[in-house]
C-alpha cells in the first residue's frame, strides 16, 4: 500500500460515510474520528461543501460525479492532505471511495494547481448543468456555456457579468417570474440554505434549479452557486408514465371483468371491484389468498399448470369453475397475462369473464337447436336462410334429407344447388316466384316437385319470406320446405271417397224421387176406385137399406169406415210424397219459439187437447226451414203425445232445446204409454200402428211419425226416440 495514504472513506449516494479507516487528525476542529453514518459533506471545509454536494447528487442519480478520479488539496489545521475520489465500476450500487493522502511532503507545483483549476473549469463547461456563481454584489463570478445555452443568453450579455442583466432575460422566459422565479432569488440570494426547485419555462421546458451558498474558510458568504438542468424529457416521461398508470388503473377498476394481479406463486396482490361483485368475496379476503383456492377443486390443478406454463411468458387461457363463499358456482373464462416487469418478478394479470349465463344460454340454444332439428325431422320440414348479398344458402339438416343432398353442411350452398334438386318441369315457375319475392318484398307459397337421386318424386310445399333491413332493403330470405307427398296421397284418397259418395247419393236421390213419384201416382190413382166404392156404398145405403138385415147393415157400416180410413191414408201418403219434393227453395227464417207457442195456444183451445200441460222450457231457435212443415212436425208430435197418454192421466209435455253439433237438438217429452222396445225402430215407418196406440186412437193412419221423420231429414236433421213402456216417450231431432 502507498505509504502516503493516511485514511480511506466509503461514501454512499446520500453522502453518508459507510465505513472509514486510518487517521483523521487532519480534520478541522476537534473531530478526530469518523464513525459510520457521518455526513461526508459536513467534514469538508464549508467553501467546498456546495460543489461536493452537487457531485453527491450526481452520484445519487447514477451519474458520474464531477470529482470522480480527481485529487483535491485541502488545507487543514494540521497537515496538508489530498483527497482523491473514485467510483469503482464493479459495485452494483454506486459508492464513492475517497482516499486521503498526506501531501505535506509533496511539492505541489503551482502549474499543477493552475492545471487542476483549468480542468475543474473545463468540467464545469462540459457539464450537462448550466452553472452560474454569483457574488453577493450580484457579480457573476463564474458561468459555463451550458448556462448561456439553456437560457439563450448572448455571450456579450454574460460577459458583462451582471446577474441583473441576465435576470432581465431569464425572467421573461419563465411562466411565473413574480412567484417562483424572483421569490427564489430573493429568498436564497443571501441565505446559507441549499435549495432545489423546478422552473416552468414559457417554451414548455422544465428546469431543475439547485442552489447553494459558496462559503469562505471563515464561513462568510463568497457567493451563491446556481445550477440548472433541463429535465423536460424526464418530466414528460414521468407524466406519460403517470398517465399510463392512471389509464391502466381506470381500465382495471372499471372493468366489468375480473382483473386480479397475482405474483409468481399465484398469490393475489390486488383485485378490481368486478372481482368482488362476481366472486362475492370481500376484497380483504381475496388479497393474499392463492388464486387456485377460488377455483373448484377439480379445476385447481389445471389452473396451477397454466400458471406454471404462463411463467414461460406465453399468455394462457381456459375455462374454469369458480366457487363462491356460499358454495354457488360461476363459470369463468380465465386469461393469464404475464406482467412485463423489468425485474422479471413473474407477476400475472388474471383476467376472467363470467360466462355462467353465456354457457347456460349456449346449452339452452343447443337444446333448442336440437329440438328444432328433431321437430323438423318429425314433420319433414326443412328450413333455409338465403343471404341476398352473398347469394349463399344455409340449410337446416332436414333440408338436406328432404332434398336428398349430401353436401358438406359447412359449405354454403347457392340457389342453383337448390334448383338442381327441383323437378325440371317445376323449375321455371318456382324460379320466378323466388326471384319476384325480394323485388316486391312479398312472400311466396308454392307447391313443387323434388326429383330425388333414386328417381322418386316427392311433392313439397315451399314458402319464403323476405327479410328487410332498417332501410326496408331486402337483405335475406327465410323460409321452409315441407314434404307434402303423404298429405297429397291422403287428399287424393279422400277426394276419391267424396266422388264415390256423390255418385251414391245421386243414385239414391234418383231412387227416392222414383219412389216418391210412385207413391204420388198410386195415392192419386187409388182415389177414383175408392170414391166409386164410397158412391156404391152410399147408393146401397139409401136405395137398398130396407132389403138389408142387421148383419148386412153392419157390413155396410164397415165398408164406410174402411173407405174413410183409406181416404185418410191416401191423403197422408200424398202429403208424404210432397214433402221435400218441390220445397227446397222455399225456406225462410222460422222462429220456432213463436211457432210452437202459437200451436200450443191453439191446442189448448181444442177439446182434443184435454187438460194437457205443455211447457217450453228452453228458448227455441230461429232456423232456416219450411214454415208449414215445421208446423206440421210439431202438430204431429204434440198430437201423438196427447193422444197416446192414458185417459186417466193428465198429459204433461215438455219441449226442450240445446245446441248440438252444428245446430240444435229439440226434444218433445211426454208421460204417455210409451213405446215398447220391440216397436221402437218400426214406429217411425209408414202405416205403423202399435197395439197400445191403436186402442187409444183407432182412427190413426200410422203416417204421422213418418211425415215428421221425413220433414226432419229433408231439413238435414236426424230423428230418434227414447221410450220406457208405461212411463213416456221422448222424441228428439236435430236441426241446423
Ligand atoms: P196419425 O198420426 O197418422 O193420425 P198415428 O198416430 O197412429 O196416426 P203415428 O203418428 O205415425 O201414427 O204413430 C204411429 C204409432 O206409434 C201410433 O199408432 C202409436 O201407437 C205410436 N206412437 C206414436 N207416438 C207415440 C207416443 N208419443 N206415445 C206412445 N205411442 C206413440
Ligand atoms: Mg199420430
Amino acid at each position: 500500500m502507498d505509504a502516503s495514504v493516511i485514511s480511506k472513506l466509503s461514501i454512499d449516494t446520500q453522502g453518508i460515510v459507510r465505513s472509514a479507516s486510518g487517521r483523521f487528525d487532519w480534520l478541522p476542529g476537534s473531530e478526530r474520528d469518523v464513525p459510520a453514518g457521518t455526513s461526508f459533506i459536513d467534514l469538508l471545509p464549508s467553501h467546498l461543501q456546495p460543489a461536493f454536494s452537487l457531485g453527491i447528487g450526481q452520484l445519487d442519480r447514477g451519474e458520474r460525479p464531477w470529482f470522480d478520479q480527481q485529487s483535491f488539496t485541502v488545507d487543514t489545521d494540521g497537515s496538508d492532505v489530498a483527497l482523491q475520489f473514485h467510483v469503482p465500476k464493479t459495485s452494483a450500487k454506486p459508492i464513492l471511495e475517497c482516499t486521503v493522502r498526506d501531501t505535506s511532503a509533496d511539492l505541489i507545483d503551482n502549474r499543477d494547481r493552475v492545471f487542476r483549476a483549468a480542468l475543474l473549469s473545463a468540467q464545469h463547461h462540459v457539464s450537462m448543468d448550466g452553472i452560474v456563481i454569483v457574488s453577493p454584489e450580484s457579480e457573476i463570478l463564474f458561468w459555463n456555456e451550458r448556462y448561456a445555452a439553456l437560457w439563450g443568453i448572448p455571450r456579450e450579455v454574460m460577459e458583462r457579468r451582471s446577474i441583473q442583466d441576465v435576470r432581465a432575460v431569464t425572467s421573461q422566459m419563465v411562466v411565473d417570474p413574480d412567484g417562483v422565479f424572483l421569490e427564489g432569488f430573493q429568498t436564497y440570494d443571501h441565505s446559507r440554505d441549499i435549495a432545489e426547485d423546478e422552473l416552468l419555462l414559457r417554451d414548455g421546458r422544465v428546469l431543475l434549479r439547485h442552489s447553494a451558498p459558496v462559503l469562505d474558510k471563515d464561513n462568510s458568504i463568497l457567493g451563491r452557486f446556481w445550477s440548472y438542468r433541463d429535465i423536460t424529457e424526464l418530466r414528460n416521461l414521468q407524466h406519460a408514465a403517470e398517465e399510463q398508470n392512471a389509464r391502466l388503473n381506470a381500465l382495471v377498476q372499471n372493468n366489468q371483468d375480473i382483473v386480479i394481479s397475482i405474483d409468481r406463486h399465484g398469490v393475489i396482490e390486488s383485485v378490481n371491484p368486478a372481482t368482488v361483485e362476481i366472486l362475492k368475496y370481500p376484497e380483504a379476503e381475496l388479497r393474499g389468498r392463492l388464486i387456485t383456492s377460488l377455483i373448484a377443486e377439480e379445476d385447481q390443478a389445471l389452473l396451477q399448470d397454466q400458471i406454471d406454463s404462463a411463467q414461460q411468458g406465453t399468455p394462457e387461457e381456459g375455462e374454469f369453475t369458480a366457487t363462491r363463499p356460499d358454495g354457488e358456482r360461476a363459470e369463468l373464462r380465465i386469461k393469464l397475462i404475464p406482467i412485463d416487469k423489468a425485474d422479471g418478478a413473474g407477476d400475472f394479470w388474471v383476467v376472467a369473464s363470467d360466462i355462467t349465463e353465456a354457457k347456460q344460454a349456449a346449452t339452452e340454444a343447443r337444446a333448442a337447436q336440437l329440438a328444432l332439428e328433431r321437430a323438423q325431422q318429425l314433420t319433414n320440414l326443412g328450413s333455409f336462410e338465403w343471404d341476398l348479398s352473398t347469394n349463399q344458402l344455409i340449410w337446416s339438416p332436414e333440408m338436406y334429407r328432404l332434398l336428398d343432398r349430401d353436401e358438406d353442411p359447412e359449405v354454403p350452398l347457392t340457389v342453383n344447388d337448390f334448383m338442381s334438386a327441383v323437378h325440371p318441369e317445376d323449375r321455371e315457375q318456382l324460379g320466378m316466384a323466388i326471384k319476384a319475392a325480394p323485388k316486391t318484398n312479398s312472400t311466396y307459397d308454392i307447391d313443387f316437385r323434388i326429383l330425388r337421386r333414386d328417381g322418386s318424386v316427392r311433392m313439397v310445399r315451399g314458402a319464403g319470406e323476405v327479410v328487410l333491413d332498417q332501410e326496408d332493403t331486402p337483405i335475406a330470405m327465410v323460409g321452409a320446405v315441407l314434404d307434402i307427398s303423404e298429405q297429397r296421397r291422403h287428399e287424393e284418397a279422400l277426394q276419391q271417397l267424396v266422388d264415390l259418395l256423390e255418385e251414391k247419393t245421386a243414385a239414391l236421390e234418383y231412387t227416392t224421387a222414383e219412389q216418391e213419384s210412385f207413391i204420388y201416382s198410386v195415392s192419386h190413382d187409388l182415389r177414383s176406385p175408392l170414391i166409386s166404392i164410397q158412391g156404391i156404398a152410399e147408393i146401397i145405403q139409401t136405395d137398398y137399406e130396407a132389403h138389408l138385415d142387421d148383419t148386412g147393415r153392419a157390413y155396410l157400416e164397415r165398408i164406410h169406415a174402411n173407405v174413410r180410413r183409406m181416404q185418410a191414408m191416401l191423403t197422408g201418403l200424398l202429403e208424404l210424397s210432397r214433402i221435400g219434393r218441390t220445397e227446397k227453395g222455399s225456406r225462410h227464417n222460422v222462429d220456432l219459439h213463436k211457432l210452437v207457442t202459437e200451436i200450443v195456444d191453439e191446442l189448448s183451445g181444442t177439446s182434443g187437447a184435454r187438460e194437457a200441460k205443455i211447457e217450453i222450457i228452453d228458448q227455441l231457435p230461429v232456423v232456416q226451414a219450411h214454415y208449414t212443415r215445421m208446423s206440421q212436425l210439431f202438430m204431429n208430435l204434440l198430437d201423438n203425445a196427447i193422444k197416446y197418454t192414458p185417459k186417466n192421466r193428465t198429459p204433461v209435455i215438455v219441449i226442450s232445446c240445446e245446441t248440438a253439433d252444428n245446430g240444435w237438438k229439440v226434444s218433445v217429452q211426454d208421460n204417455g204409454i210409451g213405446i215398447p222396445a220391440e216397436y221402437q225402430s218400426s214406429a217411425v215407418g209408414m202405416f205403423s200402428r202399435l197395439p197400445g196406440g191403436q186402442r187409444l186412437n183407432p182412427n190413426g193412419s200410422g203416417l204421422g211419425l213418418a211425415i215428421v221423420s221425413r220433414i226432419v231429414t229433408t231439413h238435414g236433421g236426424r230423428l230418434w226416440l227414447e221410450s220406457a213402456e208405461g212411463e213416456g216417450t221422448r222424441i228428439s231431432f236435430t236441426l241446423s
Side-chain angles (χ1 to χ4, degrees):
M1 198 174 116
D2 190 342
S4 65
V5 173
I6 49 175
S7 51
K8 277 193 165 189
L9 294 152
S10 284
I11 301 144
D12 71 10
T13 54
Q14 303 301 307
I16 303 298
V17 175
R18 284 296 181 83
S19 64
S21 59
R23 303 191 273 118
F24 292 95
D25 51 1
W26 50 273
L27 284 171
S30 55
E31 288 293 341
R32 289 293 178 266
D33 188 22
V34 180
T38 309
S39 163
F40 172 69
I41 302 294
D42 289 348
L43 298 177
L44 296 174
S46 55
H47 69 280
L48 288 178
Q49 284 179 357
F52 274 86
S53 63
L54 184 78
I56 295 291
Q58 288 174 317
L59 183 73
D60 190 31
R61 289 192 290 272
E63 297 161 13
R64 189 163 161 253
W66 63 268
F67 45 70
D68 185 25
Q69 305 293 336
Q70 303 295 323
S71 196
F72 299 91
T73 307
V74 180
D75 299 326
T76 61
D77 303 347
S79 48
D80 281 351
V81 293
L83 306 184
Q84 196 169 17
F85 297 94
H86 101 278
V87 181
K89 295 223 164 48
T90 47
S91 59
K93 281 238 159 179
I95 197 109
L96 182 67
E97 283 185 356
C98 173
T99 310
V100 184
R101 292 169 189 279
D102 186 349
T103 55
S104 42
D106 295 357
L107 275 172
I108 309 275
D109 189 358
N110 194 38
R111 280 183 313 170
D112 193 32
R113 281 178 190 263
V114 171
F115 178 72
R116 281 168 198 276
L119 200 67
L120 182 63
S121 160
Q123 267 170 357
H124 277 133
H125 282 297
V126 298
S127 165
M128 284 307 290
D129 298 335
I131 295 168
V132 64
I133 300 174
V134 185
S135 76
E137 293 76 34
S138 298
E139 189 197 347
I140 296 175
L141 299 174
F142 173 86
W143 58 278
N144 68 357
E145 295 293 342
R146 179 79 184 138
Y147 179 83
L150 267 182
W151 290 103
I153 299 167
R155 201 177 172 84
E156 58 273 19
V157 176
M158 288 308 305
E159 276 170 357
R160 288 208 290 272
R161 296 202 169 254
S162 155
I163 196 67
Q164 259 87 12
D165 289 358
V166 168
R167 283 178 190 168
V169 179
T170 57
S171 62
Q172 296 301 311
M173 294 174 67
V174 292
V175 171
D176 182 16
D178 300 333
V180 187
F181 194 64
L182 289 180
E183 199 180 297
F185 290 121
Q186 277 148 19
T187 312
Y188 300 126
D189 262 356
H190 308 294
S191 154
R192 288 165 191 273
D193 294 343
I194 294 173
E196 206 167 73
D197 57 2
E198 279 176 24
L199 303 181
L200 187 61
L201 268 55
R202 286 184 199 277
D203 60 12
R205 282 181 297 158
V206 184
L207 301 185
L208 175 71
R209 177 168 70 172
H210 175 91
S211 93
V214 181
L215 300 174
D216 203 355
K217 283 181 190 170
D218 60 359
N219 247 359
S220 61
I221 293 174
L222 288 176
R224 195 160 180 89
F225 172 95
W226 300 88
S227 81
Y228 296 88
R229 173 170 301 190
D230 186 345
I231 55 164
T232 316
E233 272 304 295
L234 191 73
R235 280 287 170 273
N236 284 348
L237 281 175
Q238 261 172 4
H239 286 151
E242 275 162 20
E243 206 172 285
Q244 203 69 23
N245 214 36
R247 222 179 282 166
L248 179 69
N249 203 40
L251 211 63
V252 169
Q253 289 303 309
N254 298 315
N255 209 307
Q256 300 296 304
D257 285 340
I258 290 174
V259 183
I260 299 175
S261 69
I262 57 169
D263 70 9
R264 72 177 76 213
H265 307 292
V267 175
I268 296 174
E269 289 173 333
S270 70
V271 301
N272 69 342
T275 309
V276 174
E277 186 152 316
I278 294 171
L279 296 182
K280 308 263 190 285
Y281 279 99
E283 191 181 338
E285 265 186 51
L286 287 168
R287 254 188 271 126
R289 208 187 161 111
L290 269 175
I291 183 92
T292 45
S293 74
L294 301 173
I295 299 298
E297 228 164 291
E298 66 270 19
D299 286 355
Q300 286 181 359
L302 185 65
L303 181 62
Q304 189 56 55
D305 280 357
Q306 295 217 345
I307 293 175
D308 293 345
S309 74
Q311 301 274 19
Q312 313 306 317
T314 37
E316 287 283 339
E317 198 171 343
E319 283 177 17
F320 297 91
T321 306
T323 47
R324 295 181 171 134
D326 59 6
E328 236 189 86
R329 288 172 161 236
E331 301 300 328
L332 303 180
R333 171 166 298 132
I334 294 183
K335 217 180 207 171
L336 289 169
I337 306 163
I339 300 177
D340 252 336
K341 270 198 184 168
D343 61 359
D347 292 1
F348 296 98
W349 286 119
V350 179
V351 180
S353 38
D354 186 352
I355 54 164
T356 314
E357 273 168 31
K359 266 202 140 174
Q360 184 84 15
T363 316
E364 278 164 20
R366 182 82 201 114
Q369 175 75 20
L370 280 177
L372 183 68
E373 272 176 27
R374 185 84 191 106
Q376 292 204 348
Q377 207 176 339
L378 285 174
T379 51
N380 284 337
L381 178 93
S383 59
F384 67 84
E385 273 178 58
W386 174 21
D387 187 331
L388 294 174
S389 61
T390 60
N391 209 23
Q392 285 184 345
L393 271 177
I394 295 171
W395 286 357
S396 73
E398 184 57 21
M399 194 79 170
Y400 288 89
R401 265 193 292 280
L402 212 76
L403 298 185
D404 190 25
R405 305 296 293 245
D406 57 0
E407 281 95 342
D408 178 2
E410 296 297 313
V411 180
L413 297 151
T414 66
V415 177
N416 286 343
D417 292 320
F418 170 64
M419 277 297 176
S420 64
V422 175
H423 193 288
E425 285 171 23
D426 292 349
R427 274 180 206 161
E428 198 184 329
Q429 200 195 356
L430 178 65
M432 277 182 341
I434 293 177
K435 274 197 202 109
K439 287 186 191 130
T440 54
N441 293 348
S442 62
T443 58
Y444 73 81
D445 190 343
I446 189 168
D447 293 356
F448 55 92
R449 286 165 294 170
I450 295 291
L451 191 60
R452 293 171 69 87
R453 279 177 301 181
D454 63 4
S456 64
V457 174
R458 310 280 296 177
M459 193 67 186
V460 298
R461 173 161 302 156
E465 201 178 310
V466 177
V467 181
L468 303 175
D469 68 4
Q470 279 140 335
E471 275 101 49
D472 283 350
T473 314
I475 48 167
M477 263 184 86
V478 294
V481 173
L482 179 69
D483 188 342
I484 54 166
S485 311
E486 283 299 302
Q487 192 189 330
R488 267 292 161 92
R489 256 199 292 285
H490 288 146
E491 276 171 10
E492 278 163 15
L494 206 64
Q495 190 55 49
Q496 277 171 6
L497 272 179
V498 168
D499 291 348
L500 195 70
L501 212 62
E502 267 172 12
E503 259 169 49
K504 293 233 161 125
T505 314
L508 203 67
E509 270 172 0
Y510 181 74
T511 3
T512 316
E514 288 261 276
Q515 212 178 8
E516 278 167 0
S517 66
F518 171 74
I519 294 172
Y520 179 79
S521 54
V522 165
S523 50
H524 194 264
D525 293 352
L526 283 179
R527 273 198 161 201
S528 35
L530 192 63
I531 287 167
S532 307
I533 294 170
Q534 193 181 29
I536 293 165
E538 269 166 15
I539 291 167
I540 292 172
Q541 192 167 28
T542 45
D543 297 355
Y544 300 91
E545 201 183 10
H547 305 283
L548 294 176
D549 57 6
D550 285 351
T551 317
R553 256 181 248 119
Y555 280 130
L556 194 61
E557 192 46 48
R558 278 176 68 185
I559 292 173
H560 274 304
N562 277 298
V563 166
R564 280 197 299 275
R565 239 175 66 74
M566 269 299 270
Q567 273 177 334
M569 283 165 79
L570 285 180
T571 311
L573 258 185
L574 259 180
E575 192 62 29
L576 191 67
S577 72
R578 280 198 195 109
I579 297 170
R581 268 212 313 162
T582 52
E583 293 166 352
K584 282 247 160 76
S586 51
R587 292 201 181 156
H588 307 282
N589 278 342
V590 178
D591 185 342
L592 288 184
H593 203 83
K594 197 164 157 239
L595 173 82
V596 178
T597 311
E598 277 165 13
I599 294 171
V600 172
D601 287 351
E602 242 166 68
L603 276 177
S604 58
T606 63
S607 62
R610 300 193 280 159
E611 258 107 62
K613 278 180 64 186
I614 308 174
E615 213 185 338
I616 309 170
I617 58 164
D618 298 309
Q619 178 70 34
L620 302 180
V622 174
V623 292
Q624 271 282 311
H626 191 285
Y627 184 87
T628 319
R629 297 297 172 220
M630 284 297 119
S631 157
Q632 236 175 341
L633 183 153
F634 282 101
M635 295 248 263
N636 267 304
L637 290 179
L638 291 172
D639 182 54
N640 285 353
I642 294 166
K643 276 189 182 141
Y644 303 117
T645 301
K647 300 275 184 263
N648 57 359
R649 199 186 286 174
T650 305
V652 177
I653 301 159
V654 177
I655 301 165
S656 60
C657 174
E658 59 188 79
T659 53
D661 299 343
N662 290 324
W664 291 271
K665 180 186 120 184
V666 181
S667 302
V668 178
Q669 158 110 51
D670 62 47
N671 60 341
I673 55 171
I675 300 171
E678 66 264 37
Y679 296 117
Q680 280 178 11
S681 55
S682 59
V684 181
M686 274 192 276
F687 308 119
S688 75
R689 314 210 49 238
L690 316 179
Q694 204 159 10
R695 238 185 350 266
L696 288 168
N697 176 26
N699 296 323
S701 64
L703 281 168
L705 278 181
I707 289 173
V708 166
S709 166
R710 184 130 178 84
I711 293 173
V712 168
T713 47
T714 55
H715 279 83
R718 192 166 70 82
L719 178 131
W720 67 101
L721 58 86
E722 300 146 277
S723 181
E725 204 179 347
E727 285 175 25
T729 306
R730 182 220 284 266
I731 300 198
S732 306
F733 59 91
T734 58
L735 279 178
S736 51

